[in-house]
Amino acid sequence: MRKRVTPLLSEAQIQTRVQELGVQLTKDYAGKDLVVVGLLNGVFPFMADLVRAIDLDFDVSFMQVASYGGGLESTGEVHILKDTDRSIRGRHALVVEDIVDTGLTLFKVSNLLKDREPLSLRICTLLDKPSRRKVQVPVDYIGFTIEDHFVVGYGLDLDGKLRNLPYVGVYHP
Ligand code: IMP
Ligand code: MG
């Protein structure tokens, strides 16, 4: 499987960018009551590195949603497999995602979280593929903007595999 992967973002490039995001988030959320909500499964390596780069006291929580369908593309039907264990009501919520592709997942998730009346709701993604967007979602923090490639590694999977690659690469079927 990994023979079909060509490197796109190295471990070092990712780590440098994650530290930069951490510095920015540390400034933006200083003095605020923050809950960082990671979207499982793909977010786990990014989330682990990002939260350690934010020099503040805050809550860490996870949510897992699934798009119906499967395959390489999401369908827009999102259901909750695991909900957050920390309340975001009256607090600042930062949703962390591995990649924004069509935007459908985050569109649904942010509407759902907005109903819980956080003081603010922002989105941070490691990767953004703007050329594939089907619905507009404001993405506040972006690690890297990439072309329309199917990417794997650093949390991103192909059918559940390749999440453990320490870098991000393009998968060639
Ligand atoms: P969206 O709803 O189309 O924005 O899709 C978001 C989800 O689709 C991400 O959380 C990923 O799980 C998955 N996804 C989208 N593009 C890729 C990719 O290039 N590689 C791996 N997973 C992807
Ligand atoms: Mg995923």
Side-chain angles (χ1 to χ4, degrees), residues 40-42 97-99 155-157 163:
L40 295 170
N41 289 322
E97 172 67 302
D98 53 0
I99 187 165
L156 291 136
D157 71 305
R163 293 192 198 274

Side-chain angles (χ1 to χ4, degrees), residues 2-157:
R2 49 181 71 203
K3 284 184 184 149
R4 295 188 168 278
V5 181
T6 53
L8 181 68
L9 302 167
S10 70
E11 245 183 294
Q13 273 176 291
I14 295 169
Q15 291 313 321
T16 301
R17 186 67 189 122
V18 171
Q19 294 312 310
E20 288 171 1
L21 288 171
V23 168
Q24 184 68 53
L25 291 165
T26 302
K27 279 188 196 145
D28 293 358
Y29 286 101
K32 293 182 173 159
D33 182 16
L34 171 66
V35 189
V36 180
V37 179
L39 294 188
L40 295 170
N41 289 322
V43 85
F44 75 92
F46 178 45
M47 183 81 164
D49 290 337
L50 186 70
V51 295
R52 286 180 293 174
I54 306 173
D55 192 16
L56 298 170
D57 298 325
F58 56 93
D59 277 7
V60 173
S61 191
F62 290 94
M63 192 170 180
Q64 186 174 16
V65 298
S67 309
Y68 290 109
L72 298 187
E73 204 164 317
S74 74
T75 56
E77 283 295 305
V78 163
H79 63 134
I80 299 178
L81 297 179
K82 183 218 173 294
D83 208 341
T84 56
D85 61 350
R86 310 300 289 178
S87 172
I88 61 165
R89 182 181 218 89
R91 312 176 70 190
H92 297 274
L94 177 69
V95 177
V96 184
E97 172 67 302
D98 53 0
I99 187 165
V100 186
D101 187 30
T102 63
L104 290 166
T105 307
L106 269 179
F107 181 76
K108 300 269 169 151
V109 168
S110 42
N111 282 342
L112 203 135
L113 292 180
K114 272 180 208 155
D115 286 347
R116 299 178 185 179
E117 302 179 338
L119 267 184
S120 73
L121 181 75
R122 287 185 185 170
I123 293 168
C124 174
T125 186
L126 174 70
L127 303 175
D128 185 21
K129 273 201 266 190
S131 60
R132 300 243 318 152
R133 206 69 99 247
K134 286 186 182 157
V135 286
Q136 288 313 311
V137 271
V139 185
D140 305 278
Y141 303 93
I142 297 169
F144 301 91
T145 300
I146 63 168
E147 303 290 308
D148 183 11
H149 301 300
F150 190 80
V151 288
V152 293
Y154 196 65
L156 291 136
D157 71 305

